[in-house]
Amino acid sequence: MAPGAPGSRCIPWLEERAGAAAFLLAFTCYLWLAGPGEGWLDASEFVAVGHGLGIGHAPGEPVYALLARAATLLPVGGIAFRVLLLSTLCQAGVVALLVCGVRKAARALAAPPGLRLGAITLAALAATWNLSSRLQGTRPEVYALNTLLVLATAAALWRHLEVARAGAATGPSAGAGGSGASADATATGELGWLLVAGLGFGLGLGVHPLVTALALPPVGLALWCWDRRSLRPRALLLAASFALLGFAAYAYLPLRAHGQLALDWGDPHSFSAWLDVLSGRSFQKSFSAAAGPGMPERFSNLNLYLMFELHPLAYLAGLAGLGLLATRSRAAAAVLGVALLANLASVGLQRSFELDNPDVGGYLQPSVLMLIALAALAPLLVHARAVASPRTRGRARLLAGATAALALAGFALAGLDAAGEGRGAPLRSYAAREAPLALLDAQPDDTLLLTANNQLTFSLWALQAVEGARPDVTVVFRGFLATPWFRRVLTQRLPALAAAQDAGSALEPARAGALAEQRPLAIDPFGFRDFADAGLDPVLTRGAGFFLVRGSAGGPGVAPYQSFAWRALLGGDHLDRSFALLHHFLRARKAADLGLRDVVAEELPLARALAPDDPDVAALGAP
């Protein structure tokens, strides 16, 4: 474009504001998709953690807990929505940082303004709308904050290397007035950005240590390639001290553990208990290389995951970008390649991590974003080769167009695949609130509710901690009963339940009767079959009765109790179907309240297929 052309001034103006525009685009998108904040998986747990400054599951996530608590002070929406806003803001910041990085790289490649703006726009749209970003930006979770801190650390490190390179290019001062002061300022700025990177790294450890710690290999390689002076003991010691400053957030865990918290996972009151939470000892069985598929198969599966997360065409464009980068800078390609492998290792080292777990997208979000950036920059890298080699300029331009078309087609197809999840997605949040709330409301007074499913347990805890729902009901997750830390808590708060189980084992169904003599005892639908199969009483296998109630002197009486009238149609051997029905029914009912007829038309037939004779489902479908 000629210097006097109308667009020659407009495009640089747009480029300068690309980061802010990308932030607003992503924030608006996620806000539109977000529900009220409650959700399945760990979302409700993190809402409860933020509201009560509690302690979440290992490794405790102290930095997230403190920021989530600050988010609850926002004067907008309910508590769950305010905690969700933290993820929305962080994920929008992730998109903005990625776009700024693509802009900086595009300028370094000296590409034409139009091509630069196209790459920036493509990166902004793809980073905003890919499945991983939308999932992390629309639920209360730690991954958006963790990715933001990882990218902020990388940005500070990049800036440090730029300042170091500028100082090296200037060379030692040679008697010019003021040049010594300028050199000192450059050195100060160089060290300052390294310290910022260290602080960001430490804060990232305070959110998700595994993903953050695995960023060390590419960081070390980058410093080795471009600024070995930073590897000197003094610089490393200063950077490590700032990293420890961020890591000091873990002092939050024992400080809070001494209070009577609604959510106190691991009870890290002592150093050994604190170390158990920090190291995730209860999850260490997942890090066994002896069981499960071999490493090559795991990494192959993870690459397939990335391929279908982005779309195969966009994935290939990203790999093409990495290959093209290697022809221009082997060091830069090596750093990004090591970063990709290290990030894949955060999941690949865990043999029990199923790829259909939505958390995989949170772990691998740095890899997804790196491939998006490489795919967007691939045409610019081809153009740079064309400029450097006039003989092959025509073919290089053709290849640049083909690479751009490949990336654009891949991102477009991935976006179209995801477009169908638009307005219906927030309804998942409503079901995640209404299902456990209905279960709580169905309990008799002073019930001890034993749960077997962590997602349901988190939602029940959040309802009690945040909304004050049914404080007389005591919710106990059976998965904790065999853990030493939970036995300590039980001994203090529920001595009868602690006495009813053997040390180091979960509660035996046969002992449930003794507890039922003292107070109403409820078993959630996921654990109900365990107790029914133990021969507690045959009546429990016929319908939706979950409850053991006080009986006569001859033994505990057993009475069926229907928390949902239509669940009796399904029978005790179809608990998965019953919860599927509940899910579809609640989504259809909430969609009807919101006037989303297309969602009703989608969900209601699924509910009818599970319970064709249910009157509630039939009434919902009546005109």
Side-chain angles (χ1 to χ4, degrees):
M1 182 179 293
S8 61
R9 296 181 179 179
C10 179
I11 290 179
W13 185 88
L14 292 174
E15 286 182 7
E16 289 296 332
R17 290 153 182 82
F23 179 89
L24 291 176
L25 170 68
F27 182 76
T28 303
C29 173
Y30 303 144
L31 202 59
W32 174 63
L33 289 174
E38 300 90 353
W40 295 116
L41 301 171
D42 300 335
S44 295
E45 176 198 2
F46 287 123
V47 171
V49 166
H51 177 261
L53 275 180
I55 299 172
H57 64 270
E61 303 92 15
V63 173
Y64 179 87
L66 293 169
L67 291 177
R69 174 57 180 170
T72 62
L73 303 178
L74 295 173
V76 56
I79 296 297
F81 180 75
R82 298 174 191 178
V83 178
L84 182 148
L85 275 181
L86 173 62
S87 295
T88 302
L89 289 167
C90 288
Q91 192 60 41
V94 165
V95 175
L97 276 178
L98 180 78
V99 167
C100 290
V102 170
R103 179 187 64 192
K104 187 180 289 288
R107 289 178 173 174
L109 292 170
L115 200 56
R116 291 201 308 265
L117 186 60
I120 292 170
T121 303
L122 183 61
L125 294 176
T128 297
W129 192 249
N130 75 85
L131 179 60
S132 176
S133 293
R134 285 184 292 115
L135 186 60
Q136 308 314 325
T138 56
R139 62 172 180 154
E141 252 292 3
V142 300
Y143 298 111
L145 174 61
N146 186 73
T147 305
L148 178 66
L149 289 171
V150 169
L151 288 187
T153 300
L157 183 65
W158 191 345
R159 182 58 183 157
H160 159 76
L161 294 173
E162 285 183 330
V163 174
R165 194 178 309 172
T170 303
S173 56
S179 57
S182 177
D184 291 341
T186 301
T188 301
E190 178 185 342
L191 181 60
W193 284 111
L194 185 63
L195 299 183
V196 171
L199 180 61
F201 180 79
L203 292 173
L205 292 175
V207 179
H208 202 297
L210 179 60
V211 175
T212 306
L214 286 172
L216 267 180
V219 167
L221 181 58
L223 292 175
W224 177 264
C225 291
W226 292 305
D227 186 28
R228 297 186 186 181
R229 292 180 302 170
S230 299
L231 298 178
R232 294 174 180 173
R234 178 177 176 273
L236 286 179
L237 184 61
L238 286 172
S241 65
F242 272 69
L244 285 175
L245 182 63
F247 186 77
Y250 275 101
Y252 164 93
L253 300 183
L255 290 175
R256 292 297 297 163
H258 288 285
Q260 291 292 319
L261 302 178
L263 193 57
D264 184 12
W265 196 305
D267 188 30
H269 65 289
S270 65
F271 178 77
S272 61
W274 175 84
L275 195 60
D276 285 347
V277 173
L278 177 60
S279 63
R281 181 166 296 180
S282 60
F283 301 129
Q284 285 185 1
K285 61 184 179 181
S286 299
F287 290 83
S288 172
M295 277 294 178
E297 182 180 350
R298 294 183 211 174
F299 277 85
S300 175
N301 291 337
L302 289 172
N303 274 283
L304 288 174
Y305 177 90
L306 289 176
M307 182 181 297
F308 290 100
E309 173 86 8
L310 291 168
H311 193 277
L313 295 179
Y315 175 79
L316 291 175
L319 293 183
L322 184 60
L324 290 165
L325 180 62
T327 64
R328 182 179 180 89
S329 172
R330 292 182 181 179
V335 168
L336 290 182
V338 170
L340 283 169
L341 290 175
N343 187 233
L344 290 176
S346 66
V347 179
L349 293 175
Q350 305 182 56
R351 65 171 178 83
S352 65
F353 218 141
E354 300 294 335
L355 291 182
D356 59 354
N357 187 331
D359 286 352
V360 173
Y363 274 80
L364 297 185
Q365 190 174 190
S367 294
V368 171
L369 295 173
M370 277 189 281
L371 289 171
I372 287 174
L374 287 167
L377 291 170
L380 281 66
L381 288 164
V382 175
H383 179 271
R385 285 182 59 85
V387 172
S389 305
R391 295 181 180 178
T392 60
R393 184 170 299 175
R395 282 183 296 174
R397 287 178 176 175
L398 182 62
L399 182 58
T403 307
L406 185 69
L408 185 60
F411 290 139
L413 291 172
L416 290 174
D417 289 341
E421 301 182 14
R423 298 182 68 193
L427 293 177
R428 297 172 187 168
S429 299
Y430 294 109
R433 179 182 182 275
E434 294 189 14
L437 184 60
L439 186 60
L440 275 179
D441 288 341
Q443 311 306 313
D445 293 341
D446 194 35
T447 294
L448 174 61
L449 175 57
L450 298 179
T451 60
N453 178 268
N454 58 346
Q455 295 188 43
L456 179 63
T457 304
F458 295 158
S459 297
L460 293 169
W461 283 343
L463 285 169
Q464 291 186 311
V466 178
E467 300 185 24
R470 294 301 305 271
D472 60 302
V473 176
T474 303
V475 179
V476 175
F477 180 43
R478 286 175 56 205
F480 286 166
L481 290 176
T483 61
W485 70 266
F486 196 64
R487 286 188 60 81
R488 293 196 302 267
V489 175
L490 282 183
T491 302
Q492 298 173 3
R493 303 183 187 180
L494 294 170
L497 180 57
Q501 63 173 117
D502 294 327
S505 65
L507 177 68
E508 294 292 336
R511 299 193 178 192
L515 289 174
E517 289 284 357
Q518 304 175 36
R519 61 188 297 187
L521 178 66
I523 313 298
D524 83 339
F526 292 96
F528 164 64
R529 185 184 289 120
D530 298 337
F531 286 78
D533 291 345
L536 196 58
D537 196 297
V539 72
L540 290 177
T541 66
R542 292 205 307 266
F546 309 135
F547 288 89
L548 303 174
V549 297
R550 294 186 184 94
S552 62
V558 181
Y561 194 96
Q562 296 179 357
S563 59
F564 302 99
W566 40 264
R567 187 175 292 158
L569 299 169
L570 299 173
D573 292 333
H574 302 284
L575 296 178
D576 291 338
R577 291 181 62 225
S578 70
F579 261 73
L581 170 59
L582 172 63
H583 174 78
H584 296 306
F585 175 77
L586 290 177
R587 279 174 60 88
R589 187 173 70 181
K590 181 57 68 172
D593 294 342
L594 297 177
L596 302 177
R597 297 183 180 179
D598 54 337
V599 178
V600 175
E602 177 184 352
E603 297 293 337
L604 198 54
L606 298 174
R608 284 175 178 162
L610 291 168
D613 300 323
D614 181 74
D616 291 333
V617 175
L620 184 60

